[in-house]
Amino acid sequence: MQRFQQSHDGACMPAALRRRSRAPWLCAALLTGALGPAAAAADVPRVVTDIAPLHSLAARVMAGLGAPEQVVRGGASPHGYAMRPSEAAALASADAVFWIGPELTPWLEDTIGTVAPDADVTALLHAPGATVMAFHEGPVFDNHGDEGEGQAAHDDHDHGHEDHQGHAHEDHSEHGEDHKEEAHEDDHDHAHDHADEGDADENHAGHDHAGHDHSGEDPHAWLSPENAKAWLDVMAEKLAELDPENAEAYAANAAEGRAEIDAAAEDAARILAPAKGARFVVFHDAYHYFEHHFGIHAVGSIAAGDASDPGPARLEAVRAMIRDLGVTCVLSEPALSPAVVRTVIEGSPASAGVIDPLGGDIPSGAEFYPALLRDVATRLAECAG
């Protein structure tokens, strides 16, 4: 538990901050938190997460025992964020912190070390059982070989072989199928030619948002149902270490959470079925895990990152991609201006939609994560289906 000491001016603050406090508001918030409702559940670890999807998973594991806190409020970008006093106070009093890692919230790494030096911290991106994927490169995505992790299960339900954009099928016996695939490859290569021109003005834009670079490892891993299930177990095991008396309850809650995620993923697969094979574009490359699991693939993105504005060359490359690949749907995000989407779809039959990888409009709590899977599937299917 967080220990408090008296400072020279009589104020209360965590020992770790006593010598270098830069936030005078923190003391009152910490004292309020220490003596408030959480004191009634003194034996249950105080848990803090970074984003809403992890808060939901933690809430599911802690159901009936306690409630986690969240430091990045809904609707805000996690890549660069200024915590409110209440959020900093929650972090300072945490016994356990679950976060994606510095790949998503680089600003939070030093903050945790300063504000919550005694907390048990778990970065989940590379946790046991999790799968880590790379970002796509360029405005036009190369989805060759990107088969969905949930596809094997769907094969048992009569789905057969489905034509995902750009996937090479080795067993076509009909020459017509070969020609169809070759035609798609030609279109894809043509779009890539335009994309090469559009990448130059994005080389620096992708780096200009609080250190979050859309290259290398993709931190949007919560959109994989399999990762979420693995993280439930990681959370349950960690909380059992901190609170052995409730170990069985944490394990049982995690098992129920896994079943709920499986049910939500089955619903999402049914929702997405009419959109299989659709060609759609996202605003930024945040949905790779979701696409991979459900076997439905974006053909490209408008921006290099969620905090970078696409330049004229990239916008032209995206317009060419929409035209050449027969894109039917372009997805924006709630905090972004729809003007950019209107620009790239002008003169094309593509429709516009809005999708939120963080589920800003979904009520927080244990039910949030299953609802997020269904919401992303519904919004994508409505636009692309």
Side-chain angles (χ1 to χ4, degrees):
M1 296 293 182
Q2 182 70 52
R3 293 181 173 84
F4 294 85
Q5 294 187 9
Q6 195 79 10
S7 69
H8 295 299
D9 60 1
C12 149
M13 65 182 65
L17 294 180
R18 185 167 57 86
R19 292 188 299 274
R20 58 177 187 277
S21 174
R22 291 171 293 186
W25 44 261
L26 189 56
C27 171
L30 288 173
L31 189 57
T32 299
L35 300 179
D43 294 334
V44 175
R46 295 181 179 181
V47 175
V48 171
T49 71
D50 52 357
I51 56 175
L54 297 194
H55 177 269
S56 176
L57 298 178
R60 189 67 192 86
V61 173
M62 299 178 72
L65 299 171
E69 300 281 353
Q70 175 184 330
V71 297
V72 180
R73 64 183 178 274
S77 171
H79 307 311
Y81 183 76
M83 290 191 299
R84 295 171 175 176
S86 59
E87 294 159 349
L91 182 60
S93 64
D95 299 307
V97 176
F98 297 107
W99 66 316
I100 294 293
E103 296 86 354
L104 182 73
T105 51
W107 58 272
L108 188 54
E109 186 169 27
D110 288 342
T111 302
I112 292 173
T114 300
V115 176
D118 298 324
D120 195 308
V121 181
T122 304
L124 292 169
L125 184 62
H126 293 283
T131 297
V132 181
M133 301 183 71
F135 279 113
H136 291 101
E137 295 182 2
V140 182
F141 298 162
D142 182 359
N143 290 313
H144 289 83
D146 189 9
E147 297 175 359
E149 62 190 9
Q151 201 61 37
H154 298 316
D155 287 344
D156 294 335
H157 295 279
D158 229 10
H159 283 270
H161 293 283
E162 294 174 352
D163 186 13
H164 307 310
Q165 302 88 294
H167 286 264
H169 298 279
E170 297 177 357
D171 295 329
H172 291 312
S173 59
E174 302 270 346
H175 286 293
E177 286 294 325
D178 293 335
H179 288 299
K180 179 180 178 181
E181 190 68 26
E182 289 168 6
H184 174 76
E185 294 295 332
D186 290 343
D187 286 345
H188 198 75
D189 291 342
H190 186 203
H192 267 293
D193 290 340
H194 288 281
D196 291 341
E197 300 170 6
D199 277 340
D201 66 336
E202 297 295 321
N203 285 339
H204 299 289
H207 296 264
D208 190 22
H209 45 113
H212 182 69
D213 176 16
H214 270 212
S215 62
E217 292 180 337
D218 182 351
H220 302 87
W222 65 88
L223 288 176
S224 162
E226 296 302 315
N227 281 349
K229 290 192 295 181
W231 294 344
L232 285 171
D233 290 339
V234 171
M235 290 179 176
E237 291 171 6
K238 179 56 64 178
L239 291 177
E241 292 176 9
L242 299 175
D243 180 19
E245 291 183 7
N246 289 312
E248 291 185 6
Y250 294 131
N253 286 341
E256 292 180 14
R258 291 195 304 272
E260 291 165 0
I261 291 173
D262 282 338
E266 290 178 5
D267 289 344
R270 285 193 293 269
I271 293 167
L272 289 167
K276 283 294 184 73
R279 298 178 181 181
F280 63 96
V281 170
V282 294
F283 189 86
H284 85 291
D285 188 14
Y287 308 93
H288 197 178
Y289 291 89
F290 188 88
E291 300 162 26
H292 178 72
H293 181 87
F294 292 104
I296 180 168
H297 303 288
V299 298
S301 67
I302 295 175
D306 65 333
S308 63
D309 295 326
R314 181 152 184 143
L315 289 176
E316 181 54 37
V318 173
R319 286 174 61 89
M321 169 176 58
I322 291 171
R323 179 185 65 246
D324 296 343
L325 298 183
V327 170
T328 59
C329 165
V330 178
L331 291 159
S332 183
E333 295 176 16
L336 304 173
S337 170
V340 174
V341 172
R342 289 198 299 266
T343 296
V344 297
I345 67 173
E346 185 178 4
S348 79
S351 59
V354 178
I355 195 168
D356 185 356
L358 286 166
D361 293 334
I362 302 173
S364 63
E367 298 82 10
F368 172 97
Y369 186 81
L372 176 64
L373 293 180
R374 295 182 178 101
D375 182 71
V376 172
T378 298
R379 291 173 180 267
L380 198 159
E382 287 177 348
C383 182

